Amino acid sequence: MKKITVEDLVQKFSLKVLTGEDQLQKVITQPRVHRPGLEFVGHFDFFPTEQVQILGRKEVTYLHKLSHEERKLRIGNIVHYHPPCFIATTGEEDLTYLIHHCAEQEIPLLITSKPQITSEFIPRLDGYLTKELAPEMAIHGVCMNVSGIGILIRGSSGVGKSETAHTLIRRGHRLVADDIVVLKRLSPQTILGTHDEKTKEFLALRSIGLLNVVRLYGRKAFQDETRITLDIHLTKWEKDALYNELEQEFHYTDYMGVKIPSIEIQLQPGRDVAGLIEVAANNWYLKEQGYSAAEEFMRRIEADITKSDM
């Protein structure tokens, strides 16, 4: 399982450390944060102790209204579980009592650089943790965003994956990763494709060499990540291996338990592979919207037959 530390959060979100400066290497393993509302009133049945604890205006105001003894009890009940850290979005005001408890238990207490709306800060932090802690794998291939649709292009070495990607970039689509594609499983339905940092913005073309697509074609030629919705496998041409059916059924490739629709495209001199990938992406989108060209064609045929029988 991947791990990040409290210090990573401090650096990513420019947080100020109030206590626990020597505890910033504490490990965070859970991809979600928690607001301890029920826990402050004594309900601990489902308290996620390994999650980062967020304190917003509601929690701080509630604690501030309690008597000294009651506040000491409520906070003590929570810090007893030693969560990785507390993050307050309200600023440093009214946190003296919390500073004391966290310092005593050696728990990092962090605050945002300026007061923030808690409901807006949490999704940002959740998104960061989800991506950083997601299970991941690396595959050989190219990742592109074609008309807003994330596509993996796979195939044997030298088959033309990068050349196809270059043609797609020239047509206005965006490179995500070349050669090494990092896949992250964000949910049982979602695979995110990205690069491995070292190859960011680079595309390697045989006979030409290494290209920086941003320097060549501008920022529009690259994006950092994309949700993978299609897996396209480029293969050498084999006569009679593919059939001209009205509608090709999707096969699926399994990546960490997530099934991605997969299409095979055979290569032949003069065949517009980049154009076929564009068509595959747009056709997939239409199917997701409930449209099938084959079904419409068959309805026209049936309507014509019915008209002829009348």
Side-chain angles (χ1 to χ4, degrees), residues 203-214:
L203 180 70
L205 294 179
R206 293 176 186 271
S207 303
I208 302 297
L210 198 62
L211 309 178
N212 186 309
V213 299
V214 172

Side-chain angles (χ1 to χ4, degrees), residues 140 155-161 163 206 236 267:
H140 177 67
S156 59
S157 180
V159 77
K161 300 182 294 296
E163 289 81 356
R206 293 176 186 271
K236 294 182 179 180
L267 306 179

Side-chain angles (χ1 to χ4, degrees), residues 34-45 47-48 53-64 66-67 69-81 83 85-88 94-95 97-98 101-102 109:
H34 178 68
R35 293 185 74 171
L38 287 175
E39 290 75 22
F40 277 134
V41 296
H43 296 280
F44 290 90
D45 291 346
F47 183 33
Q53 306 297 311
I54 304 295
L55 303 176
R57 178 58 59 189
K58 288 190 299 184
E59 292 80 14
V60 172
T61 300
Y62 169 76
L63 291 172
H64 189 62
L66 298 177
S67 67
E69 291 302 320
E70 185 70 13
R71 186 163 55 235
K72 180 179 179 181
L73 174 64
R74 299 298 187 190
I75 298 174
N77 286 341
I78 289 183
V79 298
H80 169 75
Y81 288 94
C85 66
F86 288 93
I87 301 177
D94 296 332
L95 294 181
Y97 47 85
L98 196 58
H101 283 277
C102 288
L109 173 59

Side-chain angles (χ1 to χ4, degrees), residues 90-108:
T90 59
E92 196 168 348
E93 185 182 358
D94 296 332
L95 294 181
T96 304
Y97 47 85
L98 196 58
I99 291 173
H100 170 74
H101 283 277
C102 288
E104 191 175 65
Q105 295 293 326
E106 298 183 328
I107 300 172

